[in-house]
Amino acid sequence: MTDSEPEPTLCEGLAIYPGSFDPITNGHVELIFRGLEVFDRLVVAVAHNPRKQTLFTTDERAEMIRQALPERKGLEVDSFEGLLVDYARARGAHVILRGLRAVADFEYELQMANMNKKLCPGVETLFMMTGERYFFLSSQSVREVATFGGPLDGLVPETVAEALRRKLGHD
Ligand code: ADP
């Protein structure tokens, strides 16, 4: 291998990292970079669910993710509506990537992974443990801090902090 060749990833093929990303946090960003170490193609997929109230629209959430991440071969930001497994199938992905934080995530994630497996046995859910720095970081806690004008340093990318201040009228 020459110096100019990129390091090979562990797995060929496409993985999907789905979520609400309302908004994307540094915990998500770290997981995306770690995902790219393992999979050569990763789609960050923003869930559009009209029944779930979100602070940012689907387009805003996707745009914030694009701004927060560097352009990188194999990395894509998209959005989807409907069943995640249908989206995974349509994209030809065999892996759904999810992050696990404290034990509180476990039951919900187990249920979802089992249901998705039932709906589509060809798609496997893989979990990565959160880096310890981001163990207690969630989009919800970020929204709460932002609502009261608290500091967001180190919690979200700067562009996201700006978007939160604009949205919540703290700029
Ligand atoms: P949801 O799809 O439940 O709305 P989120 O958009 O909050 O989830 O998060 C998407 C994925 O990222 C989930 O797998 C979640 O566990 C994971 N995640 C959320 N916060 C972090 C974090 N701080 N570190 C690593 N992974 C995270």
Side-chain angles (χ1 to χ4, degrees):
M1 191 169 66
T2 63
D3 282 351
S4 57
E5 276 182 66
E7 288 272 317
T9 42
L10 296 175
C11 304
E12 278 182 20
L14 179 71
I16 291 179
Y17 179 39
S20 309
F21 305 106
D22 188 34
I24 187 167
T25 68
N26 286 345
H28 294 127
V29 172
E30 195 214 32
L31 208 95
I32 290 165
F33 283 125
R34 285 168 57 207
L36 281 168
E37 300 276 313
V38 178
F39 300 100
D40 59 356
R41 287 164 63 213
L42 185 70
V43 177
V44 183
V46 179
H48 175 70
N49 181 352
R51 279 169 306 146
K52 192 167 165 184
Q53 216 178 346
T54 50
L55 179 60
F56 292 98
T57 66
T58 307
D59 286 347
E60 285 171 335
R61 285 178 277 145
E63 191 47 38
M64 277 188 287
I65 299 172
R66 288 193 187 96
Q67 284 176 357
L69 299 174
E71 290 252 339
R72 186 152 157 186
K73 195 166 159 268
L75 176 61
E76 188 192 325
V77 181
D78 194 12
S79 58
F80 71 99
E81 191 171 352
L83 284 180
L84 172 59
V85 286
D86 288 341
Y87 175 72
R89 243 193 304 243
R91 295 295 315 250
H94 295 289
V95 172
I96 293 169
L97 178 66
R98 295 284 290 178
L100 271 186
R101 285 162 294 181
V103 272
D105 278 348
F106 182 79
E107 212 169 309
Y108 170 69
E109 293 290 343
L110 178 69
Q111 240 179 53
M112 217 160 48
N114 276 332
M115 179 56 82
N116 285 335
K117 190 80 187 162
K118 224 172 226 113
L119 292 172
C120 184
V123 175
E124 196 64 56
T125 305
L126 289 185
F127 295 98
M128 279 188 177
M129 301 303 292
T130 301
E132 58 190 78
R133 275 197 300 166
Y134 302 122
F135 220 71
F136 297 102
L137 181 56
S138 68
S139 298
Q140 191 191 339
S141 59
V142 162
R143 291 196 302 273
E144 268 161 30
V145 172
T147 300
F148 299 107
L152 296 169
D153 315 74
L155 304 181
V156 292
E158 187 44 41
T159 45
V160 173
E162 281 161 21
L164 278 162
R165 284 194 286 268
R166 268 199 309 277
K167 181 70 94 179
L168 297 166
H170 290 298
D171 55 353

